[in-house]
Amino acid sequence: MWNPSLRPSRPGSALSRREWLRVGGLGALGLSLPSLLRGNPTAASMARAASFGRAKSCILLFLSGGPPQHETFDPKPEAPVDIRGNFRAISTSVPGLQFCETLPCTAKIAHHLAVIRSMSTDIHSHSTSGACMLTGYEPVSKAENVPPSPDDWPSIAAAAGALKPSTRSPLSSVVLPDELYNDGHIVWPGQNGGFMGSKWHPTLMKCDPSQLPMRIEGLTLEESLSAVRLGERFDLLNQFDQHFSTGIRSQAVTGMGEMHQKAFELLHSESSRTAFALEKETAVLREAYGPHKFGQSVLLARRLVEAGTRLVQVNWPREGDLEVKGSPLWDTHADNAGRVRNVLCPQFDRTFATLIDDLQQRGLLDETLVVAMGEFGRSPKVNANGGRDHWGSVFSVVMAGAGTGGGQIIGASDRTGALPQSRPVRPPDLAATIFHLLGIDPAGEFMDPLNRPRRVTNSGTVLHELAGA
């Protein structure tokens, strides 16, 4: 369907009446004007057209801190021990494909997965490499602890929710259970609507789904507040906003009212309230996802996309006592082997495999794109503290569902897992592929607040291995 917020990035030349009729006929087959202008449709272009919009929704698992590629999806069993680490490679459900032994559950579902082993940002800072992965755009600065800016490019989550809003839920795009930040609560750039303002911000749900009944910061209705009283408060707030905005006309003030409206709709939406009711899931399934905050957040993500949310981004949470000082999240500068063996991989492995199986059993995997990624990987050589350091030169990203084609490897790192050896993939390519599968033209344009056309992706190329491009 034509999306009026997008338009072709390159207008075509004048066409004859016969050619216009041909365009209309091809449109019924899912082919577009750019395909016609490039020449006769090929099998590849038809496959790409068929995959456009195949994903009704997307679950993006962001493993913040930087998962080590060697101890997950790209083991190097032939490398020296200071490169390969202490773990062995194991067979998967795909003949000839090996993962690290830390992922036994994921190895059993490898036939559903497409693994990119040649992703690269060439940035070794958490926040700016993260912004690159989350937006698909190169940041202006590659330094650490760069604060968010109103000039930031919108995140993939923001763009997906704004350019392809849900038709079934007031929630088009959600980030949970918390935002991403460095130690000292220094928030990363590239997590919201950026220069498009609050209209594009995904809904940030600060919550702990492992604690029931679940409470969402700023969105949970107080027990003493009835629906009638909530409506009265909302009307009063609207009056205040309107009065205030007559004196100060700004995007920020306008955005406040829109966010209040979104929150009000959310609290009154039966489908959304039902999605939050994790207690309706069986104890067996909740346990399979894992009793920790990450596992239950992923279960909540599945319930949200089932209720119509377009994109849910689950950030790997900071969980207090489970963190090791000096090695928060996946940032394993020390005791990498112990952290991935005892805390990190057991949680991810069980939860991720359960999500894929659960989506498959519910008939949702074919229409739900699942992406698991971090901001970068870890250094090829184990350091003196038994850890691995920041490494944006090459790392792994895993995708499943929405017809991406399971059981395949895209690209390769070199023998030590230090650099791409073949088929290098950059964040713009990943972003373009996600947008394509969600039915958003990566080469399309949208208008910014100053009425200037902006490309959805600037230089990304849809990965043909995943989308038939």
Side-chain angles (χ1 to χ4, degrees):
M1 180 178 294
W2 167 250
N3 186 341
S5 66
L6 297 177
R7 64 182 186 183
S9 60
R10 294 179 300 275
S13 57
L15 300 178
S16 68
R17 179 175 180 276
R18 178 177 297 178
E19 287 170 326
W20 275 116
L21 291 173
R22 184 180 168 209
V23 172
L26 289 173
L29 298 175
L31 299 176
S32 63
L33 178 57
S35 300
L36 172 62
L37 297 178
R38 284 193 296 267
N40 292 328
T42 63
S45 66
M46 294 185 72
R48 179 177 179 178
S51 67
F52 184 77
R54 182 177 287 168
K56 293 182 179 179
S57 57
C58 175
I59 297 175
L60 196 163
L61 308 179
F62 196 84
L63 312 182
S64 48
Q69 61 273 25
H70 301 76
E71 280 83 18
T72 52
F73 294 99
D74 194 8
K76 300 295 180 182
E78 305 302 323
V81 67
D82 62 340
I83 297 293
R84 73 172 184 267
N86 300 325
F87 302 104
R88 63 187 178 90
I90 59 173
S91 299
T92 69
S93 60
V94 178
L97 174 60
Q98 291 186 318
F99 292 162
C100 183
E101 66 174 310
T102 57
L103 301 177
C105 299
T106 304
K108 295 177 181 177
I109 60 157
H111 54 286
H112 289 304
L113 310 180
V115 180
I116 303 171
R117 283 179 169 169
S118 55
M119 179 62 68
S120 176
T121 64
D122 290 323
I123 305 172
H124 307 300
S125 301
H126 288 291
S127 57
T128 47
S129 190
C132 189
M133 290 295 292
L134 289 168
T135 64
Y137 270 74
E138 291 278 344
V140 175
S141 170
K142 297 185 178 181
E144 193 63 271
N145 294 332
V146 174
S149 164
D151 296 325
D152 289 342
W153 196 267
S155 67
I156 294 171
L163 297 177
K164 193 82 170 180
S166 173
T167 59
R168 298 195 293 125
S169 169
L171 293 168
S172 290
S173 181
V174 171
V175 175
L176 58 89
D178 202 351
E179 61 192 344
L180 297 162
Y181 54 88
N182 285 353
D183 292 343
H185 211 286
I186 303 173
V187 178
W188 293 10
Q191 298 190 67
N192 58 28
F195 60 73
M196 291 302 292
S198 59
K199 286 183 179 181
W200 276 40
H201 288 352
T203 300
L204 174 61
M205 292 186 174
K206 294 188 176 184
C207 59
D208 184 355
S210 67
Q211 301 297 315
L212 297 181
M214 183 181 65
R215 296 187 63 82
I216 302 172
E217 185 178 313
L219 291 176
T220 298
L221 191 64
E222 297 176 10
E223 293 182 6
S224 61
L225 189 62
S226 68
V228 172
R229 288 187 61 204
L230 176 66
E232 292 173 348
R233 286 191 182 185
F234 180 71
D235 290 340
L236 183 62
L237 189 61
N238 261 346
Q239 292 175 33
F240 174 79
D241 283 346
Q242 290 170 10
H243 176 73
F244 185 62
S245 64
T246 58
I248 302 177
R249 294 289 181 185
S250 73
Q251 186 178 356
V253 171
T254 303
M256 286 172 59
E258 291 166 349
M259 286 189 286
H260 293 151
Q261 178 69 39
K262 183 185 292 186
F264 183 77
E265 291 175 354
L266 176 59
L267 289 171
H268 278 77
S269 167
E270 181 64 30
S271 63
S272 296
R273 290 201 304 272
T274 300
F276 301 145
L278 295 184
E279 63 273 12
K280 292 187 177 182
E281 298 287 352
T282 66
V284 172
L285 185 62
R286 290 185 58 209
E287 179 64 25
Y289 269 92
H292 39 78
K293 186 186 286 189
F294 177 69
Q296 296 304 294
S297 294
V298 175
L299 175 56
L300 175 57
R302 191 226 78 205
R303 291 180 64 85
L304 285 169
V305 299
E306 202 170 20
T309 303
R310 185 73 64 196
L311 186 148
V312 182
Q313 178 180 317
V314 179
N315 295 329
W316 189 271
R318 294 172 179 257
E319 293 200 79
D321 294 341
L322 292 179
E323 297 294 351
V324 175
K325 187 176 181 180
S327 294
L329 309 169
W330 289 82
D331 197 22
T332 55
H333 290 286
D335 189 26
N336 177 73
R339 286 282 287 161
V340 298
R341 179 182 59 243
N342 301 324
V343 180
L344 300 167
C345 283
Q347 290 188 33
F348 170 76
D349 181 47
R350 180 179 176 184
T351 300
F352 183 63
T354 298
L355 172 64
I356 301 303
D357 280 338
D358 194 15
L359 290 171
Q360 174 72 13
Q361 292 174 17
R362 293 172 183 273
L364 296 174
L365 189 58
D366 286 343
E367 61 186 45
T368 306
L369 176 65
V370 180
V371 183
M373 67 184 192
E375 66 267 36
F376 46 42
R378 311 304 298 183
S379 59
K381 194 166 186 177
V382 178
N383 64 30
N385 296 317
R388 295 188 189 269
D389 300 315
H390 301 179
W391 201 256
S393 298
V394 74
F395 53 102
S396 299
V397 170
V398 182
M399 303 179 74
T404 51
Q408 65 170 318
I409 296 294
I410 299 170
S413 64
D414 62 17
R415 61 186 183 84
T416 63
L419 296 168
Q421 179 174 286
S422 65
R423 185 65 166 102
V425 178
R426 303 286 294 181
D429 304 322
L430 179 64
T433 304
I434 293 172
F435 286 133
H436 172 86
L437 291 170
L438 282 171
I440 300 169
D441 182 6
E445 293 178 346
F446 59 91
M447 306 305 290
D448 72 10
L450 297 179
N451 206 34
R452 297 172 300 186
R454 300 290 193 111
R455 282 274 299 260
V456 175
T457 56
N458 193 33
S459 58
T461 301
V462 177
L463 299 175
H464 63 83
E465 298 93 336
L466 300 174

